[in-house]
Amino acid sequence: MPVYKVSVKWGKQKFDNVEVDSDEPPVVLKGQLFALSGVPPERQKVMTKGVTLKDDEWGKFQIKDKAVLLMMGSADELPQAPTQPTQFMEDMTDAQLASAFDIPGGLVNLGNTCYMNATVQCLRTIPELRNSLAKLSHGPLDPPVIPSALRDTYTLMDRAVEGFRPMLLLRTLHTAFPQFSEKGENGVFIQQDANECWTQFVRAMQEVINPVTMDSNGQLTETQRSMTGDMGFVDQFLGGRLQSTLKCEEQPEEPETSSEERFLQLSCFISKDVKYMHTGLKNRLQEHITKRSPSLDRDAVYIKTSLIDRLPGYLSVQMVRFFYKEKDNINAKILKDVKFPLSLDVFDMCTRELQQKLTPMRERMRINDENEIEKSKVAKVAGAQAAEESAEGKDEDNEPYWFEGDIGSNNSGFYELRAVLTHQGRSSNSGHYVGWAKRKGTHWFKFDDADVTSVHEDDVLKLSGGGDWHTAYVLLYGPRRLPKGAGLTEKSTESGATEATSTEGAASGETPMET
């Protein structure tokens, strides 16, 4: 079917050249009208010649080029008096319980789209990303791109009580990256690799979202990319940097070479000796490669050693579980159990220079931890009930987690697990993807497409693999936050800076320790 361009009248406003593809369900058109007017699809009434547009089918609603459609609906919901009596929990539906307990909305599976749904839910846990997307400008005649489609999806998800159908986002993904629109013999979209979707989403945002700076009030504000070189939001908050050296093992006299590499994700390769994620990450930083030696005039073995010299505020880790199995022509899966921590410390993966910069904040966190332990002991002696771990405070209640002059970086080397994207199955092009996101304390949410449930962090730790259960594939770590003024000794308060002591020995931060 062709794509038509129509005009839509809404009150005193008129939107021209709105593209309508009748092969797509009408909810896609309503998603576009929401982006233009701010009227949510559930409050839109779109008509032409006395026929009202439905959500799931076109029916007798006929579209042609230059047609004029009439839309009715308010962008701001009108206040209404309560119409239902008080309900008890045992009488509530699942949707009512979700609303009562502030359970976020899920995403409807549109046919093997769980890989996209899980990615969207995990990226949603980055508050700075949500804020930057909300400020993203998008003109009425601009074609949808991944960042603007993701922005509109998050807005609609916040308003939806039950599962939301991400038709506009899926269509935009298919347009931007046609490989995701491939269909099987039955005409249904085939399963795709979630980490590939994650990578394409991040790269698409890398090109569009502007960087942020700090204003005079200490608040993050968007700025033009030309003011800070080529670095944008994604490079600030999700991008790291490695310093690497290459040394020829077969010709020690050959001078070693140095290089700088940027990354948006670290890889944990899984081999026989890898039982913990930290080991897999460390192994990746020292590897043997084969390249041509200028002194030997032939291919030779080099050892490549890398260290991190810039940590992002949000660190993405891919568990490299899939490999191509030529015999079966599939990306087979490594099912091995590899433990990952709720709290990650990457101090020992950093350059000496970065370690020195990380030490002051690490020392403050150590002092704060000791103070919290002492408070807990006092509370137990007094017979007070220990308080459950609280949610992270507001940004203004915490110290900046980045270095001065490097917004979006990590100034301690400590991370807390924020989200996990899991896969259940034996190959990347089959099975099922699910997103898991931290709420607060020990409470997490499991996003199984439209089905959203509350789980405990112990359930998350069971996602380390070892069988056919959900297995961690991509992990998202966020910065550990320190309350304002915490961890300052009397001496450091007087001098205005913390006296740093080396914490170089406390490196991995993982339990149980490997032997």
Side-chain angles (χ1 to χ4, degrees), residues 24 59 80 98 102 108 118 128 150-151 173 202 204 247 272 284 336 345 356 439 474:
E24 300 282 4
Q80 298 179 352
D102 196 25
V108 175
E128 295 88 349
L150 192 59
R151 173 203 60 193
L173 177 66
V202 171
K247 182 66 176 176
K272 292 182 180 179
R284 179 67 177 85
K336 183 180 179 180
D345 182 1
Q356 292 174 351
R439 182 188 182 192
V474 181

Short mmCIF file of all heavy atoms in Angstrom, two decimals, residues 24 59 80 98 102 108 118 128 150-151 173 202 204 247 272 284 336 345 356 439 474:
data_model
loop_
_atom_site.label_atom_id
_atom_site.label_comp_id
_atom_site.label_asym_id
_atom_site.label_seq_id
_atom_site.Cartn_x
_atom_site.Cartn_y
_atom_site.Cartn_z
N GLU A 24 0.30 -0.09 8.25
CA GLU A 24 0.51 -0.08 9.70
C GLU A 24 -0.84 0.11 10.40
O GLU A 24 -1.77 0.69 9.85
CB GLU A 24 1.46 1.06 10.10
CG GLU A 24 2.83 0.98 9.48
CD GLU A 24 3.73 -0.03 10.17
OE1 GLU A 24 3.25 -0.71 11.09
OE2 GLU A 24 4.91 -0.14 9.78
N GLY A 59 -10.90 -0.29 8.94
CA GLY A 59 -12.32 -0.45 8.67
C GLY A 59 -12.78 0.39 7.49
O GLY A 59 -12.22 0.36 6.41
N GLN A 80 -11.66 14.83 37.20
CA GLN A 80 -12.96 14.18 37.33
C GLN A 80 -13.17 13.75 38.77
O GLN A 80 -12.24 13.41 39.49
CB GLN A 80 -13.05 12.95 36.40
CG GLN A 80 -12.93 13.31 34.92
CD GLN A 80 -13.02 12.08 34.04
OE1 GLN A 80 -13.03 10.96 34.53
NE2 GLN A 80 -13.08 12.30 32.74
N ALA A 98 -1.17 -2.96 39.81
CA ALA A 98 0.03 -2.31 39.28
C ALA A 98 -0.02 -0.80 39.51
O ALA A 98 0.95 -0.17 39.90
CB ALA A 98 0.19 -2.61 37.80
N ASP A 102 2.39 1.46 42.16
CA ASP A 102 3.33 2.24 41.36
C ASP A 102 4.25 1.35 40.54
O ASP A 102 5.46 1.59 40.44
CB ASP A 102 4.16 3.15 42.28
CG ASP A 102 4.87 4.25 41.49
OD1 ASP A 102 4.38 4.59 40.41
OD2 ASP A 102 5.92 4.72 41.95
N VAL A 108 3.91 -4.22 25.05
CA VAL A 108 3.29 -5.36 24.38
C VAL A 108 4.25 -5.94 23.34
O VAL A 108 4.90 -5.19 22.60
CB VAL A 108 1.96 -4.94 23.72
CG1 VAL A 108 1.37 -6.10 22.92
CG2 VAL A 108 0.99 -4.45 24.77
N ALA A 118 12.92 -5.30 26.01
CA ALA A 118 13.85 -5.42 27.13
C ALA A 118 14.91 -4.31 27.08
O ALA A 118 15.28 -3.75 28.12
CB ALA A 118 14.52 -6.80 27.10
N GLU A 128 19.32 10.60 33.68
CA GLU A 128 19.87 11.69 32.87
C GLU A 128 19.51 11.52 31.39
O GLU A 128 19.30 12.51 30.68
CB GLU A 128 21.40 11.74 33.02
CG GLU A 128 21.87 12.08 34.42
CD GLU A 128 22.02 10.85 35.31
OE1 GLU A 128 21.57 9.76 34.92
OE2 GLU A 128 22.60 11.00 36.40
N LEU A 150 11.95 7.13 20.84
CA LEU A 150 12.16 6.61 22.19
C LEU A 150 11.60 7.59 23.22
O LEU A 150 10.99 7.18 24.21
CB LEU A 150 13.65 6.38 22.41
CG LEU A 150 14.06 5.57 23.64
CD1 LEU A 150 13.46 4.18 23.62
CD2 LEU A 150 15.59 5.47 23.73
N ARG A 151 11.81 8.89 22.97
CA ARG A 151 11.25 9.92 23.86
C ARG A 151 9.73 9.79 23.96
O ARG A 151 9.17 9.78 25.06
CB ARG A 151 11.62 11.30 23.33
CG ARG A 151 10.95 12.47 24.05
CD ARG A 151 10.93 13.69 23.16
NE ARG A 151 10.18 13.44 21.93
CZ ARG A 151 10.20 14.23 20.86
NH1 ARG A 151 10.97 15.30 20.85
NH2 ARG A 151 9.48 13.95 19.79
N LEU A 173 12.57 1.89 14.17
CA LEU A 173 13.71 0.97 14.22
C LEU A 173 13.87 0.25 12.89
O LEU A 173 14.99 0.12 12.36
CB LEU A 173 13.52 -0.04 15.35
CG LEU A 173 14.59 -1.13 15.48
CD1 LEU A 173 15.93 -0.53 15.88
CD2 LEU A 173 14.18 -2.18 16.51
N VAL A 202 21.97 3.10 21.13
CA VAL A 202 22.96 3.99 21.74
C VAL A 202 23.68 4.81 20.65
O VAL A 202 23.89 6.01 20.80
CB VAL A 202 23.97 3.19 22.59
CG1 VAL A 202 25.12 4.07 23.04
CG2 VAL A 202 23.27 2.58 23.80
N ALA A 204 22.55 5.60 17.70
CA ALA A 204 21.61 6.57 17.12
C ALA A 204 21.48 7.79 18.04
O ALA A 204 21.42 8.93 17.56
CB ALA A 204 20.24 5.92 16.92
N LYS A 247 53.04 -4.89 22.25
CA LYS A 247 54.44 -5.33 22.37
C LYS A 247 54.62 -6.64 21.63
O LYS A 247 53.88 -7.60 21.84
CB LYS A 247 54.80 -5.50 23.86
CG LYS A 247 56.25 -5.89 24.10
CD LYS A 247 57.22 -4.79 23.70
CE LYS A 247 58.66 -5.17 24.04
NZ LYS A 247 59.62 -4.14 23.58
N LYS A 272 36.93 -21.21 30.00
CA LYS A 272 36.85 -22.25 31.04
C LYS A 272 37.23 -21.72 32.42
O LYS A 272 36.69 -22.16 33.43
CB LYS A 272 37.75 -23.43 30.67
CG LYS A 272 37.27 -24.21 29.45
CD LYS A 272 38.19 -25.39 29.16
CE LYS A 272 37.70 -26.18 27.95
NZ LYS A 272 38.59 -27.32 27.64
N ARG A 284 39.92 -9.61 29.22
CA ARG A 284 39.72 -8.88 27.97
C ARG A 284 40.73 -7.74 27.83
O ARG A 284 41.05 -7.31 26.72
CB ARG A 284 38.29 -8.32 27.93
CG ARG A 284 37.96 -7.53 26.68
CD ARG A 284 37.95 -8.42 25.44
NE ARG A 284 37.57 -7.68 24.26
CZ ARG A 284 38.40 -6.97 23.51
NH1 ARG A 284 39.69 -6.92 23.84
NH2 ARG A 284 37.98 -6.34 22.43
N LYS A 336 27.28 -21.42 30.56
CA LYS A 336 28.06 -21.50 31.79
C LYS A 336 27.64 -20.45 32.82
O LYS A 336 27.31 -19.32 32.48
CB LYS A 336 29.54 -21.32 31.47
CG LYS A 336 30.46 -21.45 32.67
CD LYS A 336 31.91 -21.27 32.29
CE LYS A 336 32.82 -21.39 33.51
NZ LYS A 336 34.24 -21.22 33.17
N ASP A 345 33.50 -2.84 41.44
CA ASP A 345 34.64 -1.94 41.61
C ASP A 345 35.64 -2.23 40.50
O ASP A 345 36.13 -3.35 40.37
CB ASP A 345 35.27 -2.18 42.98
CG ASP A 345 36.44 -1.25 43.26
OD1 ASP A 345 36.75 -0.41 42.41
OD2 ASP A 345 37.04 -1.37 44.36
N GLN A 356 44.83 7.50 40.89
CA GLN A 356 45.14 8.60 41.79
C GLN A 356 43.98 9.60 41.86
O GLN A 356 43.69 10.15 42.93
CB GLN A 356 46.42 9.28 41.34
CG GLN A 356 47.67 8.42 41.50
CD GLN A 356 48.91 9.07 40.91
OE1 GLN A 356 48.84 10.09 40.24
NE2 GLN A 356 50.07 8.46 41.17
N ARG A 439 14.44 -0.99 41.49
CA ARG A 439 13.51 0.04 41.96
C ARG A 439 14.16 0.83 43.08
O ARG A 439 14.53 1.98 42.93
CB ARG A 439 12.20 -0.61 42.44
CG ARG A 439 11.16 0.39 42.91
CD ARG A 439 9.98 -0.30 43.55
NE ARG A 439 8.96 0.66 43.95
CZ ARG A 439 7.93 0.36 44.72
NH1 ARG A 439 7.78 -0.88 45.17
NH2 ARG A 439 7.04 1.28 45.04
N VAL A 474 23.26 -8.59 29.01
CA VAL A 474 23.79 -7.23 29.10
C VAL A 474 23.48 -6.70 30.50
O VAL A 474 22.34 -6.81 30.97
CB VAL A 474 23.17 -6.29 28.05
CG1 VAL A 474 23.77 -4.90 28.16
CG2 VAL A 474 23.37 -6.84 26.64
#
